[in-house]
Amino acid sequence: MEQQVELLMGNEAMACGLIESGCQVVAAYPGTPSTEILQAVADRRATAEEPLHIEWSVNEKVAFEVALAASYTGKRSAAIMKQVGLNVAADPFMRSAYLGVQGGFVTIVADDPGPHSSQNEQDTRLFCLQGRVPVFDPASPAEAKALLPLAFELSEKYEMLTVLRPATRICHSRQNVRLQLVQQLQRSANFKKDPNRWGATPAFLPALHRKLNDNLVAFAAEPAVQPRLTQGDGSHARLALVASGIVYGHLVDLLAELGLTDTVDLYQVVLPYPLNSAWIDTMRADYDRVMILEETYPVIEMQLAHGGAFGKQSGDIVKEGELTPDVVHEALARFLDLDAPAPAPANSRGQRPSLCPGCPHRSAFYSIKKTFPKGIFPSDIGCYTLGINLKAVDTVHCMGACISQGAGFYQSYAQDSGDDFPTVVVTIGDSTFFHSGIPALINAVIQKARIIVVILDNGTTAMTGGQPVPHLGRTATGAATRAIAIEPLVRASGVEFVACCDPYDSDALEAVLKKADSHIRDPQGGVAVVISRHGCLMDREVVKSQPRYAMEITPDCIGCRRCVDAFECPALSMDEATKVAVLDPDRCIGCGTCIPVCPVHAIKGTSEGELS
Amino acid sequence: MKQQIIVSGIGGQGVLFLTRVIAQVAVNRGLAVLTSETHGMAQRGGTVLSSIKVGDFASPLIRAGQADVGLLLWDANLGVHQPLLREDGTLVISSEQPGVGKRIAATKLARELGNAVLANLILLGLAVRDAVLFCSVEECEEAIRQLAPARFVEQNLAAFRCGLEG
């Protein structure tokens, strides 16, 4: 039967690929650009032929380990994360390479060259080289889907962990993609105990390591994973182009636009690690010069070690940022001695992002900055990173780092000045707190740090589009589950000062922050936790449930810019002609949180009752 | 048939929905299509850009000077994204100010229809009216019916028709 063609985002295409491959356990932690994969698995779960467990795990390490054990029972499973999520899952990942798997196991790790929405542009292919794990690099959404059944099959054949590495331009591209029949594997959970392998002590590891190395050689020689050659017509003899991932697509389109299709030997590498040594030998023997296009690090180029390489390691291609079609054009022109393209226009990013109008984080940040103008403000990963625009965020590092960094700031200042330390106010989102904030909080308490931790609790994982959090009592599929409340967790971590308030009530929040400051400075005090609780306004129910005011800026405005610069609501801007603040009615949601910000009370809100 | 289209705006303006409608028309007609979208932090009110390539392409991204059509929902993005357009490419811009390209006060009209975010489909209507895009009126209406949540279908179609009338 002919299957349907759908317009699918790369992430949706991969979700279909997982279901079609008979995958039965899928675990993920949200992170751009990978998030929509698990969401789409949940949305399409009715198409699965067999039971399918889908979970938003509390972090990537947990997601990986859940999926790994499912593989031990012989079922197909997958873990999904963004590139920096693999750092969180690095510990189990590295050992899994040695111990291997039973049922097919694919880890989908989405990279973000650019980066567009990440704290770095690390290359998962290099991570896999270091971990000795085979990694696939798809060049389109359709190919990302098509590679999944292959990755599962080879994972089972060699009992090896495999990785699929889509980049942002795969995840967030849409394409016409043909669906396939869903496989029915009819597997029952059957964990075959083998402590020498699944609990391998050092004595068993050299043998497992040897088997891994042998498997890597055989895996690399599999016919289905060989670099795919589009033969040239000989007009560029002894030259070759090698590309992997989305850059291959850019190159194909560019060659077509320049009229160079089929004039030069072109290889698409679908498995950048491990490369087949026979192919490496051929490349060295058959070509004098080889252009290598890959994102982000020179992983193929390093393995190829070709004397005539034209790539990142050789210094011929820019090492940082995305290899956009314009970058590829410029490099290809130098490699093939073509006319140089006109210099690309300077890359302007346009309007900077900011917290949404009415965002409760904005109110919390404004109160924190106002209460502690000289405070130190470590923050974390999420929408609230944008508190940097309000100068209420000084550091952003990686998931959960803010609490430990806050403690480190305290220890360093306190040893110089004793009781006269600056107030350290840490801000962490609720999802990030569950992800990796809890061990850091326990550590801060037992090391007697004196810091204020503000948990920005908006009841969701907002940045990635609203995935459920552990205190919501909802699973990835919307089913009810036990809710884990934040307050008891905080108290059980040894925190004696725990207060909660709505940041829309700025007077109340500022009073609580002052009390928290007294607590951290009290001889009997320690860590203070303030929970700033107000739902995310991306949830329409939250917007509907709060009062909406008809807002106006009166002629009393003196043009001091405080509401525009220090509060930074996207609905407020300066009229450069009249030098007063103006309100954009299309963007204002009537929350009224800007009212107390104006020093001359020129921002007025008239109650319209509870409108939608 | 080959066409390269950019859709430019800021987060929250419905750039993604407009992108999907155009791409869905291609799929419905059996044409190959690739799009690229902005997700993540930039969606929080920052500049966003989508590209749509209809026909035989391998990459979703558009090189400088190659786009046939630019649909701009935020006229301040003109300086940022105009370089993607061919010299003979067509700009369709939501703006109340005079200037280059075909212009329509889409946000103002959308507000009159009840929601400023409908500007995206008003802009599409204008582009289709002037035969700038590869798609027909009927094809766009079909795609809107497929993609809009049921309770918004009529409102979305009204916005599209508002653009058709210019």
Side-chain angles (χ1 to χ4, degrees), chain A residues 14-23 40-42 44-45 47-49 52 182-183:
Chain A
M14 285 181 272
C16 294
L18 290 174
I19 292 174
E20 289 167 3
S21 302
C23 187
V41 173
R44 292 169 177 265
R45 64 189 184 278
T47 63
E49 294 281 354
L52 174 56
V182 174
Q183 293 189 50

Side-chain angles (χ1 to χ4, degrees), chain A residues 226-541:
Chain A
Q226 297 312 301
R228 297 167 182 176
L229 170 64
T230 308
Q231 195 109 37
D233 60 8
S235 54
H236 294 280
R238 298 197 62 81
L239 291 192
L241 307 175
V242 173
S244 93
I246 192 68
V247 196
Y248 172 76
H250 302 338
L251 184 58
V252 168
D253 280 0
L254 181 66
L255 291 169
E257 283 165 8
L258 298 176
L260 295 172
T261 302
D262 299 339
T263 62
V264 54
D265 286 3
L266 167 64
Y267 291 88
Q268 182 198 1
V269 176
V270 289
L271 189 80
Y273 176 81
L275 288 182
N276 187 352
S277 62
W279 181 70
I280 294 175
D281 292 344
T282 305
M283 294 304 289
R284 290 180 189 164
D286 291 0
Y287 301 101
D288 296 330
R289 295 175 67 225
V290 179
M291 178 172 175
I292 303 143
L293 291 164
E294 53 187 326
E295 287 176 334
T296 318
Y297 299 154
V299 175
I300 297 171
E301 190 179 353
M302 275 195 299
Q303 294 173 84
L304 208 50
H306 193 289
F310 184 98
K312 295 187 173 188
Q313 192 165 251
S314 69
D316 293 296
I317 294 175
V318 62
K319 297 182 178 70
E320 307 83 18
E322 262 191 303
L323 290 186
T324 62
D326 290 308
V327 174
V328 174
H329 187 186
E330 190 277 329
L332 184 75
R334 276 188 286 118
F335 182 68
L336 292 182
D337 208 13
L338 312 170
D339 291 340
N347 187 16
S348 159
R349 288 204 167 223
Q351 181 97 13
R352 75 176 180 185
S354 51
L355 295 166
C356 302
C359 177
H361 298 338
R362 171 179 292 102
S363 300
F365 282 128
Y366 187 79
S367 289
I368 290 167
K369 178 78 181 168
K370 183 177 160 200
T371 310
F372 307 110
K374 294 191 173 154
I376 295 176
F377 306 124
S379 191
D380 224 293
I381 309 291
C383 287
Y384 52 97
T385 299
L386 294 169
I388 214 158
N389 295 352
L390 284 89
K391 301 186 171 55
V393 168
D394 293 326
T395 66
V396 175
H397 208 80
C398 62
M399 292 290 287
C402 63
I403 297 179
S404 353
Q405 283 186 308
F409 277 121
Y410 165 77
Q411 305 295 5
S412 191
Y413 276 95
Q415 67 185 189
D416 290 353
S417 50
D419 293 342
D420 188 27
F421 56 88
T423 301
V424 177
V425 186
V426 162
T427 45
I428 184 166
D430 46 344
S431 188
T432 311
F433 177 70
F434 281 103
H435 177 285
S436 47
I438 296 165
L441 182 63
I442 293 170
N443 187 70
V445 170
I446 62 172
Q447 300 304 331
K448 302 181 182 174
R450 292 168 176 271
I451 59 173
I452 301 173
V453 175
V454 178
I455 300 176
L456 299 168
D457 177 12
N458 58 1
T460 190
T461 317
M463 175 94 278
T464 47
Q467 291 68 39
V469 274
H471 55 302
L472 201 65
R474 289 261 180 285
T475 69
T477 57
T481 185
R482 188 173 289 249
I484 314 288
I486 294 175
E487 285 90 331
L489 264 177
V490 169
R491 288 203 184 89
S493 303
V495 177
E496 287 173 354
F497 184 104
V498 186
C500 177
C501 80
D502 185 334
Y504 269 33
D505 186 345
S506 55
D507 290 343
L509 177 57
E510 285 156 27
V512 164
L513 287 169
K514 282 176 192 148
K515 270 172 73 181
D517 194 44
S518 303
H519 178 76
I520 65 170
R521 293 174 190 285
D522 186 287
Q524 304 304 315
V527 175
V529 170
V530 175
I531 301 168
S532 169
R533 181 168 286 151
H534 191 109
C536 173
L537 300 192
M538 299 294 280
D539 181 346
R540 287 194 55 78
E541 293 305 314

